[in-house]
Amino acid sequence: MSKEKKKMSLALKIFIALVAAIVAGLLMVNHASFATAYIKPFGTIFLNLVKFIVVPIVLFSIMSGIISMRDIKKVGSVGLKTVVYYLCTTAFAIIFGLLGGNIFKGLFPVVTTTDLVYEAAEPTPFMDTLVNIFPSNIISPMANANMLQIIVMALLIGFSIILIGPRNQKIIDGVNTLNDVFMKCMEMILELSPIGVFCLLCPVIAENGAKIIGSLAMVLLTAYICYIVHAVIVYSITVKAFGGVSPAKFFKEMMPAIMFAFSSASSVGTLPINMDCTEKLGVDREVSSFVLPLGATINMDGTAIYQGVCAIFIASCFGIQLTLPQMVTIVLTATLASIGTAGVPGAGMIMLAMVLTSVGLPVEGIALVAGVDRIFDMGRTTVNITGDACCSVIVNNLEKKREAKRA
Ligand code: ASP
């Protein structure tokens, strides 16, 4: 009970920090350079600490999870359910984005497109993304915090520990102890999250405050309506139907992670808090330690929604009417693009180039939305991590049922 109380109070502290950051940011709209120079660095320090702990947490918690499952088939079953859920919900998300874009299209501003310049980065082809999942050495996945490669590494080493049989006791103890050490380290870092949230969000509001009420307000509002509709409809229904958890309880326990994602715009950075929240929702570590890092890398429902809304907006600015087959193409490419998007701030905007190109829209159109990308990003990251958590609750419940049946 006292533990519960302590955790509640951290959520409240984060909430207060969030509100304080919005108020302070709005007061500093005319002194944005001060906020950027002196407040943002503390946010960056906090985010660095979180990123520092993410790699060992993912590596050791997946290994420790596999060792405790002692069953390679179970890992396969968890993996399959996870990927199916991620793909289906992302397809829904992009459909919501396109629907919302079409419904509100009439209210979007028509911005002149003659002087637009945007240098699109070369998007990574899908086959390269596939190849890049597999690490070619043991150091670079950790040095570059490449989550998919770390997951592959942890799976291989974890399976090997199981397969060497009785000789593995010492290494099992070692992995479990290291896992405990990094978890403790993470707990200490998370205690600082209210300060982190304040220092990350305040400069963003100070820099962008005026833009929120600027000409793109309707496009931003449309994206946020779609984010909320997707979260309320898809996550509430699936978490109740397949996860056996009431939507009210789910969103309540998820609040710290939601607020952190909103402030940091990084799914990977939110990973430790997300693990903490899903644990409170009753998800076993062995499931969350696999499902969440995978989701932070490949499951981006919010990003998919954003790409749908922006594609419609950019098309309307160029006076192009998207046809139904083009919209279907957007559903497919945005699903792939969201898989290829890294869980870091701004990554979704780079992948928007791939979506626009697939239907022949000019990539320079990205310049229309680039100025307010951070505001889109805060919402899409929040949806991204909520989808990951929802999946972990569902997979955990389905696995428990499967085991009960087998027993
Ligand atoms: N910032 C997002 C995330 O971390 C990715 C994106 O830019 O869409 O989930």
Side-chain angles (χ1 to χ4, degrees):
M1 183 67 202
S2 71
K3 202 176 166 207
E4 184 70 7
K5 253 190 179 167
K6 200 175 145 212
K7 282 183 182 169
M8 284 277 293
S9 83
L10 180 65
L12 189 65
K13 277 191 230 161
I14 296 181
F15 178 70
I16 294 170
L18 190 102
V19 176
I22 294 174
V23 174
L26 288 174
L27 291 175
M28 278 190 217
V29 166
N30 294 325
H31 307 281
S33 54
F34 175 85
T36 311
Y38 297 104
I39 298 180
K40 195 175 171 184
F42 292 99
T44 310
I45 292 176
F46 176 69
L47 209 52
N48 283 352
L49 285 175
V50 172
K51 285 183 192 158
F52 149 77
I53 202 65
V54 155
V55 168
I57 285 281
V58 172
L59 185 64
F60 286 102
S61 66
I62 292 186
M63 289 206 294
S64 152
I66 292 175
I67 295 167
S68 61
M69 284 195 235
R70 289 182 187 274
D71 181 1
I72 296 176
K73 265 200 204 129
K74 177 164 180 185
V75 182
S77 154
V78 169
L80 184 69
K81 290 187 182 83
T82 305
V83 172
V84 169
Y85 182 84
Y86 283 162
L87 285 178
C88 293
T89 51
T90 304
F92 263 111
I94 171 77
I95 291 169
F96 278 127
L98 289 173
L99 274 178
N102 278 304
I103 292 171
F104 293 104
K105 194 164 66 173
L107 302 171
F108 288 170
V110 181
V111 187
T112 38
T113 53
T114 34
D115 315 317
L116 290 181
V117 218
Y118 181 80
E119 201 59 47
E122 221 18 68
T124 322
F126 180 69
M127 286 317 279
D128 287 0
T129 309
L130 191 70
V131 170
N132 288 341
I133 294 174
F134 300 92
S136 59
N137 71 66
I138 203 161
I139 307 292
S140 78
M142 290 189 277
N144 301 324
N146 185 322
M147 287 303 146
L148 280 180
Q149 293 190 351
I150 293 171
I151 292 170
V152 171
M153 208 166 104
L155 287 173
L156 281 174
I157 302 175
F159 289 154
S160 309
I161 294 175
I162 296 178
L163 294 174
I164 60 170
R167 278 180 300 139
N168 62 12
Q169 201 46 53
K170 273 199 185 121
I171 180 100
I172 289 183
D173 292 342
V175 168
N176 286 337
T177 312
L178 277 170
N179 191 30
D180 292 345
V181 169
F182 288 117
M183 286 290 173
K184 190 83 229 155
C185 202
M186 179 183 89
E187 259 175 46
M188 289 181 344
I189 295 172
L190 291 190
E191 286 297 321
L192 298 173
S193 45
I195 302 174
V197 162
F198 179 86
C199 298
L200 285 168
L201 191 58
C202 175
V204 173
I205 302 286
E207 280 168 27
N208 294 284
K211 291 182 197 157
I212 300 177
I213 37 180
S215 63
L216 291 186
M218 253 342 272
V219 188
L220 284 166
L221 189 66
T222 304
Y224 272 82
I225 290 174
C226 297
Y227 294 153
I228 294 170
V229 168
H230 179 76
V232 170
I233 295 184
V234 175
Y235 301 151
S236 295
I237 293 178
T238 54
V239 87
K240 178 82 192 144
F242 306 114
V245 171
S246 84
K249 181 176 159 66
F250 174 73
F251 285 108
K252 180 174 166 266
E253 296 295 0
M254 280 300 293
M255 267 311 153
I258 285 177
M259 290 186 285
F260 188 83
F262 186 76
S263 321
S264 68
S266 170
S267 296
V268 170
T270 312
L271 200 47
I273 303 199
N274 214 1
M275 283 187 167
D276 217 43
C277 293
T278 50
E279 199 176 339
K280 280 194 244 156
L281 284 161
V283 179
D284 293 339
R285 261 290 158 190
E286 61 184 37
V287 171
S288 67
S289 65
F290 178 77
V291 174
L292 296 180
L294 191 66
T297 321
I298 68 165
N299 182 46
M300 306 268 170
D301 295 356
T303 304
I305 291 175
Y306 150 86
Q307 287 169 342
V309 172
C310 287
I312 301 278
F313 169 60
I314 292 169
S316 80
C317 287
F318 281 94
I320 299 168
Q321 192 70 31
L322 290 175
T323 60
L324 196 62
Q326 279 177 313
M327 301 231 192
V328 175
T329 310
I330 293 183
V331 173
L332 295 176
T333 42
T335 306
L336 290 182
S338 73
I339 294 175
T341 304
V344 293
M349 191 181 76
I350 296 165
M351 297 307 280
L352 180 59
M354 175 174 152
V355 177
L356 296 182
T357 318
S358 74
V359 286
L361 287 173
V363 282
E364 298 80 33
I366 296 178
L368 292 171
V369 285
V372 285
D373 184 62
R374 180 64 182 221
I375 307 169
F376 281 116
D377 201 357
M378 296 193 303
R380 63 187 192 238
T381 309
T382 306
V383 177
N384 292 347
I385 61 104
T386 310
D388 303 340
C390 189
C391 180
S392 74
V393 172
I394 290 170
V395 171
N396 190 63
N397 187 42
L398 296 180
E399 279 304 306
K400 281 216 171 100
K401 278 194 181 146
R402 191 178 76 109
E403 266 155 34
K405 233 189 211 167
R406 274 199 355 207

